[in-house]
Amino acid sequence: MKILALESSATAASVAVCEEERLIAQSHQCTGLTHSATLMPMTQDLLKNAGLTLADIDVFAVAAGPGSFTGLRIGVSAVKGLAWAAEKPCAACSTLESMAWQVAHMEGEICAVMDARRAQVYNARFAAEEGKPVRLSEDRAISLEELTAEAKKSGKLQIIVGDGAALCYNAFQEQGIPARLAPPHLRFQTAWGVARCAVELCRG
């Protein structure tokens, strides 16, 4: 099963093609250009360079939120158009769960966070079990204070991923909560994370 995944929920845009859990190709761009100008050319170039066509793709996946309203709209519209043209199914993936897949190989609890401003974050918490993120909470908007209280009650090491990671890490440190920032190359949204999330959705 080949999956073409698009990620446009934040400043950067990325596109990936995976076969099951294996990454075939990925393109990432964070140049300040709008996703409407970059996402489709990236997709076309990636498929061409990988020697693939839309007909080779079995599932089209996209980060469906939370995230930038404009960015999400562009990504969802692009995937719907591609899937319609190819007559293939779509997979709408949680941005937070997709990020959790990027660090699911690490030990501890995964705290996926996106800055929602005004001392709030978009968050979901996961347990990393045998290389897979297992949900401890649904996607939600929560105050940083409430999230810190949850993490403190858990007492387990928190692996923090997302564009709100630094904000969350500082709050946890102030409360003496064991926490670790995800490595820089795994900290932010990627299309590979979306594709990996889509694999699980397709498996049901």
Side-chain angles (χ1 to χ4, degrees), residues 17 48 62 95 129 138 142-143 150-151 204:
V17 175
K48 181 180 178 181
V62 66
T95 307
E129 296 183 3
E138 295 302 312
I142 187 173
S143 72
E150 277 190 16

Side-chain angles (χ1 to χ4, degrees), residues 2-4 6 45 52 58 60 66 74 78 91 96 104 112 114 128 134 138 151 154 157 163-164 188-189 192 203:
K2 288 187 176 66
I3 297 175
L4 175 67
L6 276 62
D45 289 344
L52 298 170
D58 300 299
F60 293 83
I74 292 168
L96 296 166
M114 299 173 68
V134 177
E138 295 302 312
S154 164
L157 174 67
D163 64 24
F188 303 101
Q189 295 93 316
W192 179 85
R203 287 174 177 170

